[in-house]
Amino acid sequence: MIRTLIALTLLSTSVVAQDFRPSPEIATSSNSLTAQKSIGDDFMIVTANPLATQAGYDVLKKGGSAADAAIAAQLVLGLVEPQSSGLGGGAFALHYNATTNALTSWDGRETAPHSAKPDMFLNADGTPMNFWNAVVGTQSIGVPGTPKLLETLHKKFGSLQWKNLFPSAIDITERGFVKSPRLQKMIDADIGKLDQFQSSREYFYNTNNTLKNPEYASTLNLFKTLGASAFYNPHLIGGKIINATDGRINSTDLKKYNVIERDPVCGEYRTYTICSMDEPSSGGLTILQILKILEPYNLKQDDPETIHLIAEASKMAFADRNMYMADPDFVDTPGASLLNKAYLDKRRELLNDKAQAYTAGDLSDIFTSAQTQIEDGTTHIVAMDKQGNAISMTSTIESAFGSKIMTNGFLLNNEMTDFSFIPETDGKPVANAIEPRKRPRSSMAPTIVFDKNTKPVLLIGSAGGSRIIGFVLQRLIAIIDWNMNIDDAIAMPNILNRGNGLESETELNQSLNEKGHDIKIRDLTSGLTAIHIHDNKIIGAADPRREGHAMGK
Ligand code: GLU
């Protein structure tokens, strides 16, 4: 591993605060925005699909732990929501242990294979490749982390036997399942890409409405019997991955894959402590930066001034994200220095009544390498078991249907395109540049919020690429500042800013145009799932923009 020691002042300042990537998945917004919800006393699970929720619910009912339920649900999601996540992808999980009161976070992000090159997504003339040209095919595939993460979560937090987490997934795989309307719509929208590859074409573009996936059944049986070693074994599941990537991923890449336990990133906001995934995800740090910049303000609900403040703080935080955040095992990123009070006070001073453009802040006064630094296509699962253990896990294969290449009955991710396509600008390195074994920067933000008594009160996360940050942020403000019900908070129109314009699902007050905001009205297909522990009830809610489902008892 080559550790890039980057003095922060050397980082290029011309890395634009823009995200040029298209939405990971198309919009299939619901007509009536009412979140599906369930209220329980004992346990709860919410996932992006009713069959996956049922699998998790069955596990919880048998006395399984929150982690067990999330694993069983993930195995089903890889089948029934294959566009979003699966064994060919990566995931991040936050886990709360009710017995020890310990919060841990787990990095199952994909790694770049040995064959990865910093300039692999550049055209011959040095310009970045067209996004889809980079995505479709073997070059975008990172070494999957989800199988190892599921096994790790089970070893640490499982209570049922490993083999007992598989029956639902294997049963549905053999019996077949009817494609959901969203899956069908996404298959239709992917003509020209997904159908370029024989295995994907044969599976997704046949005339059957019911999908059967015997290859996934074999994969599940191997995984059930041998655990993740079957997956990373070049003679078993791994061998087919090596072939499917034309050797871009080799047996050493598979053998070296490891799940990393990292400290979650936490910050106080009003009377709560909000914890989320730290780097290589930018999700937690960026959300916390925005909240800390906003904290001194009274963020009134339904007030254009609040939208203005959230948009400006978001733009500022995205400028820092785009400049600094990356895999901390490869780059000396500022990490928790980005939450330094003096630094954020200075950033807040930049706010005024007008919409402005921001560059990344100067951290040279605050960050030194000796500074304490917290060690450091998508779906979101939340579960809480009878003992009060809780899990918040975001899982992805990046774009819809990932690289579009299917093997072993699952799709391989395109997580490599979450790296910067440009390795350096003005001769200076970009933090999120590609290197073998490095993990691409993510925006995923599996989050758990704690009250004053250090008890979890909210589990939340979303799909949505870099919009995940705005989707989760808005609900944290809705719950904490506006006392909204979780289902209303999830269903409310999305309004966010990723540094390049104010995106909104609803018309906004004219005064925001006058302040200079570049307003874009569009569908913003969040995929939020959440559990709110409120009034001694466990309330699960799923985003009406997708097909999520909450079930509890
Ligand atoms: N690959 C993206 C990330 O890690 C997530 C894509 C999505 O949300 O659909 O940030």
Side-chain angles (χ1 to χ4, degrees), residues 155-393:
K155 282 190 173 149
K156 298 270 173 194
F157 311 115
S159 62
L160 297 187
Q161 283 185 42
W162 176 245
K163 65 172 191 222
N164 291 338
L165 309 181
F166 287 74
S168 296
I170 292 176
D171 183 48
I172 303 167
T173 307
E174 286 169 353
R175 222 170 358 108
F177 70 99
V178 179
K179 282 176 261 180
S180 74
R182 181 170 166 81
L183 173 56
Q184 185 59 61
K185 199 168 168 183
M186 294 185 72
I187 292 170
D188 295 345
D190 231 77
I191 290 178
K193 298 197 211 52
L194 184 59
D195 56 349
Q196 283 184 33
F197 302 93
Q198 194 189 350
S199 55
S200 310
R201 186 170 59 243
E202 285 172 359
Y203 182 62
F204 290 110
Y205 295 95
N206 58 46
T207 49
N208 307 335
N209 199 29
T210 301
L211 285 180
K212 287 194 179 163
N213 189 339
E215 274 206 75
Y216 191 58
S218 310
T219 295
L220 289 175
N221 277 309
L222 279 169
F223 195 27
K224 178 177 90 171
T225 320
L226 301 172
S229 65
F231 190 92
Y232 298 92
N233 184 329
H235 304 294
L236 295 170
I237 300 169
K240 289 199 205 160
I241 295 177
I242 295 170
N243 288 341
T245 63
D246 297 331
R248 281 180 188 267
I249 291 181
N250 67 13
S251 55
T252 315
D253 292 324
L254 293 171
K255 204 169 97 198
K256 286 205 162 171
Y257 187 81
N258 63 331
V259 164
I260 302 174
E261 181 180 358
R262 301 187 185 275
D263 286 335
V265 59
C266 295
E268 312 289 313
Y269 179 67
R270 311 221 186 272
T271 57
Y272 294 89
T273 302
I274 297 171
C275 295
S276 192
M277 193 67 215
D278 204 345
E279 294 167 291
S281 188
S282 61
L285 270 175
T286 310
I287 288 172
L288 285 168
Q289 262 204 331
I290 300 168
L291 288 174
K292 295 305 282 181
I293 292 169
L294 293 173
E295 198 169 23
Y297 295 93
N298 175 11
L299 299 175
K300 288 193 220 121
Q301 193 175 353
D302 299 325
D303 183 347
E305 184 58 22
T306 298
I307 296 174
H308 169 70
L309 288 169
I310 295 174
E312 294 304 291
S314 299
K315 281 194 268 179
M316 244 180 239
F318 265 88
D320 280 357
R321 167 196 181 269
N322 296 349
M323 174 69 78
Y324 296 126
M325 296 181 204
D327 183 343
D329 295 338
F330 281 74
V331 180
D332 269 345
T333 72
S337 300
L338 290 166
L339 300 177
N340 176 284
K341 185 174 180 311
Y343 173 67
L344 291 180
D345 286 348
K346 258 197 187 158
R347 295 291 274 165
R348 194 181 303 108
E349 279 168 20
L350 299 174
L351 288 176
N352 64 29
D353 201 33
K354 291 275 169 244
Q356 306 173 68
Y358 304 92
T359 52
D362 178 2
L363 286 150
S364 46
D365 290 350
I366 291 151
F367 178 73
T368 67
S369 47
Q371 182 95 16
T372 42
Q373 191 178 324
I374 293 179
E375 252 301 293
D376 332 315
T378 304
T379 202
H380 188 73
I381 302 171
V382 283
M384 181 167 243
D385 62 31
K386 211 172 167 180
Q387 284 68 41
N389 303 306
I391 191 161
S392 181
M393 176 165 100

Side-chain angles (χ1 to χ4, degrees), residues 16-65:
V16 281
Q18 300 259 330
D19 193 326
F20 64 94
R21 292 168 168 79
S23 287
E25 295 183 24
I26 57 164
T28 50
S29 60
S30 129
N31 293 330
S32 65
L33 286 191
T34 305
Q36 189 274 337
K37 99 173 177 184
S38 170
I39 302 177
D41 294 306
D42 292 342
F43 55 77
M44 182 65 59
I45 178 155
V46 196
T47 82
N49 180 282
L51 293 168
T53 295
Q54 181 74 53
Y57 178 88
D58 291 346
V59 160
L60 289 168
K61 211 167 138 211
K62 282 187 199 129
S65 66

Side-chain angles (χ1 to χ4, degrees), residues 24-25 92 109 377-378 396 398-399 415 418 441-444 462-466 468:
E25 295 183 24
F92 294 114
R109 183 73 162 165
T378 304
T396 188
E398 202 334 70
S399 298
E415 224 67 51
D418 267 358
R441 181 182 64 214
S442 168
S443 301
M444 295 193 286
S462 182
S466 55
I468 290 171

Side-chain angles (χ1 to χ4, degrees), residues 392-413:
S392 181
M393 176 165 100
T394 317
S395 179
T396 188
I397 54 170
E398 202 334 70
S399 298
F401 305 102
S403 64
K404 322 289 179 184
I405 297 176
M406 205 172 178
T407 181
N408 298 285
F410 54 78
L411 284 153
L412 292 166
N413 68 82

Side-chain angles (χ1 to χ4, degrees), residues 64-180:
S65 66
D68 288 335
I71 296 164
Q74 175 64 76
L75 296 174
V76 175
L77 285 170
L79 181 68
V80 299
E81 201 202 23
Q83 71 273 26
S84 299
S85 74
L87 295 177
F92 294 114
L94 246 69
H95 183 272
Y96 171 74
N97 182 324
T99 313
T100 58
N101 212 26
L103 180 75
T104 47
S105 71
W106 302 89
D107 172 354
R109 183 73 162 165
E110 297 90 334
T111 52
H114 72 289
S115 56
K117 303 256 181 325
D119 59 356
M120 64 190 278
F121 295 138
L122 292 181
N123 295 311
D125 64 358
T127 55
M129 274 170 84
N130 164 282
F131 182 73
W132 289 115
N133 289 346
V135 166
V136 180
T138 56
Q139 66 284 351
S140 68
I141 304 171
V143 182
T146 300
K148 189 86 183 170
L149 177 67
L150 297 185
E151 183 181 75
T152 305
L153 292 171
H154 182 257
K155 282 190 173 149
K156 298 270 173 194
F157 311 115
S159 62
L160 297 187
Q161 283 185 42
W162 176 245
K163 65 172 191 222
N164 291 338
L165 309 181
F166 287 74
S168 296
I170 292 176
D171 183 48
I172 303 167
T173 307
E174 286 169 353
R175 222 170 358 108
F177 70 99
V178 179
K179 282 176 261 180
S180 74

